[in-house]
Amino acid sequence: MGVVTKLRIKYESALNTQLSTGSYFNLYYIFYRGLRVDPFIRLYPNGKAPKGLFLQGKAVAGYFNKNIDYMYIAGNDSIHHKKNTSFFSYGAGLGIGYQFIFKRSHKPLELFLGFQYSKYTAPKTIFIDNKEYYTNDDLFWYVYGPGSFLNANFGIGFTF
């Protein structure tokens, strides 16, 4: 899509030469607004944690808000109703990446590609005046939103 929809901060700490743990803290500000925390554990097969090739497993938990567009279809006409909705989301993900740590500055550069599932829990239907309105926002959630199945990251950081 080419649009940056969040600000992300990562914390990572090596447990030993092969394992690290940490978390991403995400602030979403376009389409869906909210916060999401992605705690992770990484395995560095080269034994040089936190640098080099890694395999990652993570959990996902977030709280979001969106003005969801619901519609009711009556014959050839459709009636739209927008409703401000807040909801929790949860899920998990797996991926592979590589983290460089520059010797002179100790700054990390991370490349990551993985897959995730983050459940869309906002109501898919609502009732107004005994009419059932429905939304297709869940499709948008899974393709472009925080629930996107593809999880890629290019990050430049700081160490302290």
Side-chain angles (χ1 to χ4, degrees), residues 28-95:
Y28 288 83
Y29 56 89
I30 296 179
F31 307 125
Y32 292 88
R33 297 181 190 276
L35 298 169
R36 191 175 86 183
V37 178
D38 303 358
F40 62 80
I41 188 160
R42 289 181 173 172
L43 170 65
Y44 289 85
N46 67 359
K48 297 180 181 178
K51 63 183 177 178
L53 180 72
F54 63 84
L55 303 172
Q56 175 180 291
K58 71 174 186 172
V60 173
Y63 183 76
F64 298 95
N65 182 278
K66 186 169 191 304
N67 205 11
I68 297 176
D69 182 29
Y70 291 92
M71 70 178 152
Y72 172 77
I73 297 178
N76 292 333
D77 296 330
S78 63
I79 302 166
H80 290 264
H81 178 80
K82 290 202 176 219
K83 182 177 181 193
N84 193 335
T85 305
S86 296
F87 59 97
F88 287 100
S89 178
Y90 57 90
L94 295 171

Side-chain angles (χ1 to χ4, degrees), residues 68-121:
I68 297 176
D69 182 29
Y70 291 92
M71 70 178 152
Y72 172 77
I73 297 178
N76 292 333
D77 296 330
S78 63
I79 302 166
H80 290 264
H81 178 80
K82 290 202 176 219
K83 182 177 181 193
N84 193 335
T85 305
S86 296
F87 59 97
F88 287 100
S89 178
Y90 57 90
L94 295 171
I96 187 169
Y98 198 93
Q99 184 160 255
F100 302 90
I101 298 189
F102 298 104
K103 289 182 182 181
R104 188 176 284 172
S105 64
H106 298 286
K107 293 189 186 317
L109 176 109
E110 178 181 304
L111 303 169
F112 178 83
L113 181 62
F115 297 95
Q116 66 182 3
Y117 175 74
S118 183
K119 185 167 177 59
Y120 182 78
T121 60

